Amino acid sequence: MNQEKLFEKTSPMKLFFLAAIPGGISMLASSLYGLLDGIFFGRILGEASFAALNLAFPFVVINFSLADLIGVGSSVPISIQLGKKKEKEANNIFSCACLMIIITGALLGGFMYLAAPWLIHLLGAEGELAELAVQYMRVYALCSPVTTIVFAMDNYLRICGKIRSSMNLNILMSVLSAALEFIFLGIFRWGIWSAALATCSGMFICAVIAVFPFVRGKLQLRLCKPRFNVSMIRQIIVCGSPNFLSNIAGRITSIIMNIVLLQFGGATAVSIYGVLMYTGETIQSFLYGVCDSLQPAVGYNWGAGRKDRVKAIEKCCFTASALISLVSAVVIFLFPTQIISLFVKNVDTVFMSTAVLAMRLFSLTYITRWLSFATQSYMTAVEKPIYASVLSVSTALVFPVVLIALLWPLELTGIWLNFPITYLLAAILATVILLRFKKEWRKAA
């Protein structure tokens, strides 16, 4: 469907099913690969590799954070410029953003490769655990210049109305990565580094496929000679800062959590935390896919001055997010043993009882998690980055770190309780932000 017809004329409910459902499916495919990744590690490589993966993964995400900053940060103004019918400005932002992603990928990847041993040592890891974590991290760092652009291309395809192409690309990337990882780990019996290589290979292949139609000039967004200016770069950074800060803050929190977990329960506690993170990432990816897929439509209509459509689209987004979260809470609470058994095998009774308690407490997170998540996406799409940034940093860093200190006497139980309390506080903050935004909207009208 043509972009203008999709974003301007399709009913909000139909638009939701045309855009958000494929977006959710595509991100679900990615998260299912993440689950398979964890299962492969836990069952083929063992507990040490699974713990090493969870130590290194926050740094891997940080490695992608600048590309995500530029990708999301450029998508918002591109959508708004297209809504204003300013295609030339939109194409320039698009072209500059692509070049910026490649350059930052090379610079940050080089730093991460050199700093990997030092960063892992800072966590307190030693011996085999540290060596495995460094191996995993360095493969991602080396591949960074040619892989980081794939997620931005996913956003740009959706902006051009190619929602099904975006979905198919994500599914293909997940299938390729999973197949290669199974071959490398299950058949060739290579080490932890090959799992990272499998993922990076899938990302690179799909990045090439995604870039191709833009190079051919077959889509509304076209590559042109980039014309950089301070105002455009500032706009990209400001619009992308909520997601960027959320990624960075979340990974800093994960690093702190890993340090505390190593102190309270060693590699076993880190493994249980990894199970929680894999489970959470699966649900969060689906939520992200639903909300993020609607951002181009929201931004387009915001730029076109169609505030009524913005409100109707967001109503669908908030409702869907709530349903997804509440169903997830029920499933995690009722089936913790089955979920844990996917990642670890031959566990003793003490491990399982601790992990079940952690899972059930973690399930309470999803009673309120949807509200802050949908609100952050909404504020990003309508160029309210300060609101979105305050919410993202508070949720990802401020609340959990403060709660680590407050709940310290409870040791591991305090860590598991950290999640539901954090998102309860985030839901309260999101409500305050929404009420304030509503008041500003009425004054502007």
Side-chain angles (χ1 to χ4, degrees):
M1 186 180 290
N2 133 339
Q3 181 211 50
E4 184 176 346
K5 183 179 178 183
L6 177 65
F7 293 159
E8 281 191 2
K9 299 176 182 178
T10 307
S11 70
M13 184 61 73
K14 185 176 180 181
L15 175 62
F16 174 80
F17 283 101
L18 287 173
I21 298 303
I25 291 172
S26 66
M27 291 306 297
L28 184 60
S30 298
S31 65
L32 287 176
Y33 165 64
L35 275 176
L36 286 174
D37 187 44
I39 292 168
F40 287 154
F41 268 84
R43 290 188 165 271
I44 296 176
L45 294 180
E47 187 177 324
S49 291
F50 190 60
L53 164 67
N54 288 292
L55 287 176
F57 198 70
F59 297 111
V60 172
V61 174
I62 290 173
N63 187 33
F64 286 104
S65 61
L66 279 178
D68 197 40
L69 164 70
I70 299 165
V72 174
S74 61
S75 296
V76 173
I78 287 171
S79 297
I80 291 173
Q81 292 297 330
L82 290 174
K84 294 177 178 179
K85 312 302 181 187
K86 296 181 178 180
E87 293 192 8
K88 186 176 179 181
E89 288 83 350
N91 287 332
N92 183 56
I93 297 171
F94 166 63
S95 301
C96 291
C98 290
L99 186 58
M100 289 168 66
I101 289 170
I102 294 170
I103 292 171
T104 54
L107 292 175
L108 190 56
F111 170 77
M112 297 290 281
Y113 182 87
L114 295 174
W118 175 71
L119 292 170
I120 296 299
H121 179 71
L122 281 180
L123 298 182
E126 298 177 349
E128 182 190 16
L129 184 62
E131 183 182 347
L132 291 171
V134 169
Q135 286 180 26
Y136 186 78
M137 191 169 156
R138 278 183 159 173
V139 173
Y140 275 102
L142 283 172
C143 297
S144 180
V146 294
T147 57
T148 52
I149 199 169
V150 70
F151 298 115
M153 283 296 155
D154 182 50
N155 287 333
Y156 301 146
L157 284 170
R158 288 199 297 268
I159 288 172
C160 294
K162 298 297 181 182
I163 295 166
R164 190 170 297 175
S165 297
S166 168
M167 179 183 73
N168 291 336
L169 188 73
N170 278 293
I171 293 172
L172 176 63
M173 184 165 64
S174 300
V175 171
L176 279 174
S177 300
L180 288 172
E181 188 166 338
F182 176 75
I183 292 169
F184 293 168
L185 293 179
I187 298 176
F188 294 161
R189 296 291 175 178
W190 290 343
I192 191 173
W193 60 269
S194 67
L197 180 62
T199 304
C200 290
S201 298
M203 292 173 69
F204 171 69
I205 292 168
C206 290
V208 172
I209 294 171
V211 169
F212 186 66
F214 292 103
V215 173
R216 291 183 63 198
K218 296 295 184 180
L219 300 177
Q220 183 169 7
L221 287 177
R222 290 178 171 83
L223 290 167
C224 62
K225 183 178 180 180
R227 301 183 310 280
F228 289 91
N229 61 74
V230 175
S231 176
M232 181 201 66
I233 295 172
R234 184 188 301 116
Q235 187 181 29
I236 289 174
I237 293 172
V238 168
C239 291
S241 59
N243 272 49
F244 174 75
L245 292 172
S246 181
N247 279 332
I248 295 296
R251 300 314 155 182
I252 292 172
T253 301
S254 292
I255 291 166
I256 295 170
M257 288 280 195
N258 280 324
I259 294 171
V260 176
L261 287 164
L262 282 172
Q263 179 176 335
F264 283 149
T268 296
V270 174
S271 294
I272 294 173
Y273 179 68
V275 174
L276 299 184
M277 290 301 95
Y278 269 105
T279 305
E281 288 293 334
T282 302
I283 301 163
Q284 183 168 314
S285 294
F286 191 59
L287 281 172
Y288 181 83
V290 169
C291 296
D292 188 58
S293 296
L294 292 170
Q295 278 190 3
V298 173
Y300 186 97
N301 284 285
W302 186 261
R306 295 290 308 277
K307 307 294 176 63
D308 55 327
R309 282 184 63 80
V310 169
K311 186 176 180 180
I313 293 167
E314 284 297 337
K315 189 175 181 179
C316 294
C317 181
F318 275 77
T319 302
S321 298
L323 289 173
I324 293 166
S325 288
L326 293 174
V327 169
S328 300
V330 172
V331 171
I332 295 171
F333 187 85
L334 293 179
F335 304 105
T337 305
Q338 290 83 348
I339 295 171
I340 295 162
S341 298
L342 290 173
F343 298 95
V344 289
K345 60 179 181 178
N346 302 325
V347 296
D348 57 34
T349 305
V350 175
F351 180 99
M352 185 57 75
S353 63
T354 304
V356 167
L357 173 64
M359 289 293 289
R360 286 196 162 138
L361 292 175
F362 182 68
S363 70
L364 303 178
T365 301
Y366 291 94
I367 296 173
T368 57
R369 188 169 189 173
W370 61 275
L371 184 55
S372 58
F373 200 88
T375 301
Q376 182 183 325
S377 176
Y378 183 19
M379 294 298 102
T380 300
V382 297
E383 287 192 303
K384 294 292 182 181
I386 294 177
Y387 285 156
S389 296
V390 168
L391 185 55
S392 67
V393 173
S394 298
T395 305
L397 181 64
V398 177
F399 294 154
V401 170
V402 170
L403 287 170
I404 286 174
L406 293 177
L407 300 173
W408 187 274
L410 298 178
E411 298 187 349
L412 283 180
T413 302
I415 297 294
W416 315 141
L417 281 170
N418 192 300
F419 299 102
I421 298 175
T422 287
Y423 281 95
L424 175 60
L425 295 173
I428 294 170
L429 178 59
T431 302
V432 172
I433 288 172
L434 287 171
L435 291 173
R436 186 165 181 175
F437 176 68
K438 186 178 180 180
K439 186 177 180 181
E440 291 175 1
W441 192 337
R442 284 177 176 173
K443 282 185 179 179

